[in-house]
Amino acid sequence: MTQTFTSPIPVLPKRQDGRRVLLKLSGEAFGGGAVGVDPDVVSRVAGEIAEGVAQGVECAIVVGGGNFFRGAELSQRGMDRRRADYMGMLGTVMNCLALQDFLEQRGISTRVQTAIEMGQVAEPYIPLRAVRHLEKGRVVIFGAGAGMPYFSTDTVAVQRALEIGCEEVLMAKNGVDGVYDSDPRTNPDAKKLEHITYNEALQKGLKVVDSTAFSLCMDNAQQMMVFGLDAPGNITRAMRGDRIGTVVTYD
């Protein structure tokens, strides 16, 4: 049975005008284990986001593209890394549009902003415009990564969170429910951590989140929570500030 380390969890500060979060969603999860988009999965995710928004949470989202393309994996098969990464960025936009559609079916006003201009389907990424959308109760979904190769969507999620003033980055992971002291997929004795600092995570080489994303959070004292996407209701709980998964902080 998995053991859990317990340690004091910092109290999350509350914004006077409500809670604003950046939700990072695994692209792999959108495919339900296959290539493409699984409508049942995206519908469930949209429903949980809609419930959190209905409770007054301002939510921006970054979606990965692993259900279509992973640039690093394509480059390992001989494709130019830069071109492979751009393909991955386009995959994230397809996921953004799918999520937008299911959110709007639930009456949630949604805007997609992309780092690569594609005016017929999305707005360009403009931070102040994104903030204004959030203040009006809209969900903003960021697509096309950073618009540049070599950047993971984990890192982009942190950058967007910092730029639009989010309290917390919520990393919803596929197949894992937090940060462990070793890989739980290969070590049955791996222990789940309720709290860890960025420095500890980097020193131990924990790979659940991209190391550049951890470093960016650490340098800017940005709080993060890593939790499992698979359990129903987890997204809503994370959005409203429930302590699930692993909280990662500066100290």
Side-chain angles (χ1 to χ4, degrees):
M1 184 174 68
T2 300
Q3 295 179 334
T4 302
F5 290 140
T6 58
S7 60
I9 304 296
V11 177
L12 189 69
K14 297 293 183 180
R15 291 163 51 92
Q16 287 185 335
D17 54 343
R19 173 168 158 81
R20 180 181 298 167
V21 299
L22 190 294
L23 176 63
K24 166 58 177 30
L25 296 170
S26 163
E28 275 187 337
F30 272 39
V35 175
V37 173
D38 184 328
D40 293 333
V41 172
V42 182
S43 178
R44 176 182 70 81
V45 169
E48 294 185 20
I49 295 169
E51 187 174 342
V53 171
Q55 296 178 26
V57 180
E58 295 178 5
C59 184
I61 301 169
V62 169
V63 187
N67 52 322
F68 289 110
F69 310 104
R70 285 187 179 276
E73 293 177 4
L74 290 174
S75 68
Q76 290 172 4
R77 301 295 296 272
M79 182 176 286
D80 179 85
R81 173 63 190 266
R82 294 160 295 182
R83 187 168 291 118
D85 277 356
Y86 280 116
M87 290 175 65
M89 293 176 211
L90 297 178
T92 70
V93 176
M94 289 190 280
N95 285 337
C96 290
L97 296 176
L99 181 58
Q100 179 184 35
D101 190 85
F102 279 99
L103 281 168
E104 291 188 343
Q105 288 180 34
R106 286 164 173 76
I108 302 297
S109 182
T110 308
R111 298 291 186 273
V112 174
Q113 292 192 349
T114 57
I116 298 173
E117 287 196 32
M118 43 187 78
Q120 288 180 295
V121 297
E123 299 177 356
Y125 171 56
I126 301 175
L128 290 178
R129 182 181 291 178
V131 169
R132 186 61 177 146
H133 288 321
L134 293 170
E135 290 173 345
K136 291 182 176 180
R138 298 168 183 154
V139 169
V140 183
I141 311 173
F142 299 120
M148 299 177 288
Y150 304 106
F151 285 88
S152 72
T153 48
D154 282 356
T155 299
V156 172
V158 174
Q159 189 278 332
R160 297 291 190 260
L162 291 168
E163 197 160 21
I164 65 174
C166 293
E167 292 174 17
E168 190 171 31
V169 179
L170 306 176
M171 290 284 184
K173 291 294 180 177
N174 185 43
V176 64
D177 62 350
V179 179
Y180 285 73
D181 62 355
S182 60
D183 189 345
R185 299 176 185 180
T186 58
N187 179 13
D189 296 323
K191 297 177 177 64
K192 181 181 172 182
L193 309 172
E194 288 188 357
H195 174 237
I196 192 170
T197 67
Y198 295 112
N199 192 45
E200 289 170 339
L202 289 167
Q203 287 181 348
K204 294 178 180 179
L206 303 180
K207 303 294 186 182
V208 67
V209 173
D210 184 83
S211 60
T212 305
F214 272 156
S215 296
L216 190 56
C217 281
M218 181 173 67
D219 291 344
N220 294 277
Q222 173 70 63
Q223 183 159 297
M224 177 186 292
M225 183 167 66
V226 182
F227 68 100
L229 179 59
D230 301 331
N234 263 7
I235 292 175
T236 304
R237 289 192 286 271
M239 286 176 64
R240 69 188 180 206
D242 293 358
R243 300 295 83 184
I244 57 177
T246 303
V247 176
V248 194
T249 60
Y250 175 75
D251 53 22

